[in-house]
Structure formats: structure tokens, C-alpha cells
DNA sequence: CGAGACATGTAACCTGTTACATGATTCC
DNA sequence: GGAATCATGTAACAGGTTACATGTCTCG
């Protein structure tokens, strides 16, 4: 139940409404955890009944009322103890539909496999472009002046860039290999 | 609903019971997709009512009867069309509890952060040991003699090894950096 | 004699997605 | 006039986990 912890995390920065949190998610946390608005609203209510957050209605004129949530001390300590807890063994690549496809793609012709790999390269490129955009926001200001949490998010972005770069390199090597095999096979067909 | 496709994939190799499939999962697919036995049994029943598989009861003496499943033509074509379908944009690191922790770990002292990173290195090492074990099964026999599906699983294992190696390198660099900072801070405390 | 493999499943629950409902304001 | 933003939510469903139930055989 880590959506709960993601919510505690964003609320630890400042009080927010469900709507604010959703936008915050879309803007900053979504690349490691995302959730739909209805899931966020539901979870916030459950967290309130568990005493981790408190809500206050704020009336507005011309716009719907807002329901602002704030952490309780219980919420803060739940967040801290989760952050520091060391959970044993988590699978590193669980539930990745691309990897599952690749596991079975030997059934399909090489041309289909190449299509799959190229599509994945495009996904990786998109992710990397995002990291670059986010990282460039940091480089303006001298790093040591950032609050600790932001420094860590900077480290995280650098890590994901390095990891995804390795994936990209692997995909390109494989694509190359397959294209040469395919080219050789076609050449044989023509000359033979 | 990709559990369904994972099940179609393993059944495409040979007919199996739910129990066999669970063991097959634990042995081979689990590093990209895993599922509990009860989920497998339930999904197989649903797939039968959708016409993707057929089951036959096989009586045994002294042991419970087995219910063996086989693909129908509809199941085969569902598998093939899924494998070749190109799904747009999937987030590469969604729902990874470690990354989420790291996102917020600036709240905790550096020593806790180091603990988290070291625990992750241990997880990565465990995964890499597994890849090596699986890869060594391939090296015995000349690779070109393997069926296509196994060749692809070999590529996949190599890829995950490369990706996880990149993660490991990043973690070790970070740990190093932090240890030096910590050492410097302590040194200052002593001399100051 | 107890633990674990073999083999099937049900029931309850938690988590996540999609579609729908409401209603004013602002921008094109 | 229509779409997007602001802001809350409900309802239905899909996917996944955990605990429980049943009963035999085999191995140490």
C-alpha cells in the first residue's frame, strides 16, 4: 500500500487538496508512482479515518469548495518509519509488459521483434528526454543550496538516466545484430 | 490483463495444469511476471469460459486429480496478436517502492539513506546472481541450436544483466560519495 | 511423527482503472 | 458555442494478495 506513502510524502512538503496532489503527482512523482484522481480521493478519506491526515473545507466564491489535507503527527511518523524500513527482496522488473512480450517473442517473425524493440527505444527516449528536462531545472542554481529532499530527487533522476541509458544501449546492440542477420539472410536468398 | 498472456505463453510450450504452471512461473517467468497460485487457478477458469483454453481432468491414484489445460486456436491467436501488438508509452519505472522511498528519503538522516542504498545493492546482487545462473545454462550448448524462443530469453537475460549492472554502478557511486561526505563532516567535527 | 510435495480451489480483502455525475468559470 | 480548468466524488469492475480448507504420499 505505497500509494498511501506517496501521499504522505507530498503532504509532508505542504498541505494540499486531492486536486493539488494529483497535479503534483503528474508534475513530479509520476515517473516512479502514479495514481488516478479517484484513487487519490478514496485513499485520502481512508487515511483520514485512520488518523494519518486531517481535512478542512475551504469555501471559495465561483469555484467548488476545496478540501485541504494536512498530516497529523501519526501521519508524519508513519511516513518516517516507512522511509527508513528496509523491505527485503523486491523483484526489480516485475509486471513489465514489454519484458513479458520479449519473453515470448520468439514465436513471432524477426520483423515483428524488431518492431517491438524499436517501439521500446522510442519509449526509453521519451523517458530520457523527461529526465533531461527535469535535471536542467537543477543545474541553474548551485546544487548545495537545494534542500536535502531535492538533492535526493536529483540523484534519483541521474540514476534513472544511467539505468535507462543502459537499456537503450542494449536495445540498439540487439537491433543491430538482428538487422545484420536479416540482411545476411536476404543476401543469401538473392545469391543462392 | 497480462497474466492472461503469460499463461497463454507457457501453455504454448506444452499442456499443463495450474500447479505445473505455478512451478514453471517460479522457475522461469517470475523475474518479469509472477502470480500466486490462487490467481492462476482463477484466471485459467476465466480463460476457459472465454474459449482460450480447454481443460481435461486426469485421474491419479493416491494423488489428487489433475486438471490439464491446452490452448485452443483462439488462445493461440490471442497470444500471437498480443505479442505483436505495439502498446504506446508505458512508464519504465512505475510502482517501484525503492524508487519511491528514495524520492522522499531526504527527510531521513544520511545514515538511513546509506542503509537503504546498501539494501538495494544486495537486492541487485541477488538478481544478478540469478541471471548468471540462468545464463550459464545456455552456454553449454552452442547457441544457434536453441529454439528461437530460448534465444530470445537469452537476449532478455543479457539485457536485464546490463540494466541491473548500470543500477549497481550508480548505487555504488552514490554510496561512495555519501561516505566521503559523512567522513568529511565527522573529520570537521573532530578538528573543529 | 512431522514437514513438505502434490493438487485443487473458495472467500475476503486490498489496490487500481474507467466511466459517470455535477456545475461554474475562463479561454479560444 | 465548445473545450479546458477547477474541484469533488460515486459505482462498477479488473487485477492481485492472503488466509483458509482438504487429503494423500513420501522422505527424513
Amino acid at each position: 500500500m505505497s500509494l498511501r506513502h506517496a501521499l504522505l510524502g507530498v503532504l509532508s512538503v505542504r498541505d494540499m487538496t486531492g486536486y493539488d496532489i494529483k497535479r503534483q503527482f503528474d508534475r513530479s512523482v509520476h515517473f516512479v508512482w502514479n495514481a488516478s484522481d479517484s484513487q487519490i480521493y478514496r485513499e485520502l478519506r481512508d487515511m483520514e479515518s485512520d488518523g494519518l491526515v486531517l481535512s478542512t473545507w475551504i469555501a471559495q466564491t465561483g469555484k467548488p469548495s476545496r478540501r485541504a489535507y494536512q498530516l497529523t503527527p501519526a501521519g508524519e511518523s508513519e511516513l518516517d518509519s516507512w522511509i527508513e524500513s528496509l523491505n527485503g527482496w523486491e523483484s526489480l522488473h516485475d509486471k513489465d509488459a514489454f519484458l513479458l512480450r520479449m519473453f515470448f517473442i520468439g514465436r513471432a517473425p524477426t520483423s515483428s521483434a524488431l518492431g517491438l524493440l524499436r517501439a521500446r527505444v522510442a519509449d526509453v527516449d521519451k523517458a530520457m528526454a523527461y529526465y533531461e528536462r527535469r535535471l536542467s531545472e537543477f543545474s541553474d542554481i548551485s546544487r548545495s543550496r537545494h534542500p536535502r529532499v531535492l538533492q535526493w530527487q536529483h540523484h534519483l533522476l541521474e540514476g534513472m538516466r544511467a539505468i535507462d541509458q543502459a537499456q537503450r544501449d542494449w536495445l540498439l546492440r540487439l537491433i543491430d545484430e538482428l538487422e545484420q542477420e536479416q540482411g545476411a539472410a536476404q543476401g543469401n536468398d538473392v545469391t543462392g
Side-chain angles (χ1 to χ4, degrees), chain A residues 147-157:
Chain A
R148 278 173 60 76
V149 177
L150 283 186
Q151 277 181 40
W152 276 98
Q153 290 175 15
H154 186 262
H155 288 313
L156 184 56
L157 284 165

Side-chain angles (χ1 to χ4, degrees), chain A residues 4 8 47-48 50-54 70-72 74-76 78:
Chain A
R4 174 165 295 208
L8 292 171
M47 287 162 70
E48 182 156 31
D50 289 347
L52 302 177
V53 294
L54 268 180
Q70 55 184 305
L71 289 190
T72 63
E76 290 238 12
E78 170 61 28

Side-chain angles (χ1 to χ4, degrees), chain A residues 65-95:
Chain A
S65 295
R66 300 158 54 83
R67 186 172 180 174
Y69 286 90
Q70 55 184 305
L71 289 190
T72 63
E76 290 238 12
S77 73
E78 170 61 28
L79 173 61
D80 286 331
S81 66
W82 170 76
I83 285 177
E84 301 198 40
S85 68
L86 300 178
N87 278 22
W89 180 242
E90 298 166 21
S91 172
L92 301 182
H93 301 282
D94 198 36
K95 311 270 151 82

Side-chain angles (χ1 to χ4, degrees), chain A residues 24-165:
Chain A
Q24 188 66 24
F25 261 54
D26 288 343
R27 208 175 322 123
S28 81
V29 200
H30 76 276
F31 65 100
V32 293
W33 207 284
N34 212 346
S36 61
D37 45 0
S38 55
Q39 202 193 349
I40 290 172
Y41 285 123
R42 185 176 56 184
E43 187 67 24
L44 284 170
R45 251 182 300 123
D46 293 350
M47 287 162 70
E48 182 156 31
S49 74
D50 289 347
L52 302 177
V53 294
L54 268 180
S55 69
T56 337
W57 282 97
I58 300 170
Q60 298 187 120
T61 47
K63 287 180 188 174
S65 295
R66 300 158 54 83
R67 186 172 180 174
Y69 286 90
Q70 55 184 305
L71 289 190
T72 63
E76 290 238 12
S77 73
E78 170 61 28
L79 173 61
D80 286 331
S81 66
W82 170 76
I83 285 177
E84 301 198 40
S85 68
L86 300 178
N87 278 22
W89 180 242
E90 298 166 21
S91 172
L92 301 182
H93 301 282
D94 198 36
K95 311 270 151 82
D96 184 326
F98 164 76
L99 298 176
L100 186 62
R101 271 206 190 80
M102 204 168 148
F103 198 91
F104 294 120
I105 207 171
R107 289 176 59 84
T110 303
S111 57
S112 302
L114 276 167
L116 182 70
L117 296 177
R118 291 198 189 105
R120 179 67 162 196
V121 170
D123 282 357
V124 174
D125 284 344
K126 198 167 158 182
M128 304 236 331
Y130 173 77
Y131 305 145
E132 292 307 335
R133 230 178 309 135
R134 292 289 304 276
L135 282 166
S136 70
E137 295 165 16
F138 283 90
S139 60
D140 314 351
I141 320 160
S142 98
R143 243 181 68 196
S144 58
R145 300 199 47 209
H146 283 296
R148 278 173 60 76
V149 177
L150 283 186
Q151 277 181 40
W152 276 98
Q153 290 175 15
H154 186 262
H155 288 313
L156 184 56
L157 284 165
E158 284 182 329
M160 301 190 27
R161 178 171 61 178
I163 291 167
D164 289 356
Q165 181 66 52

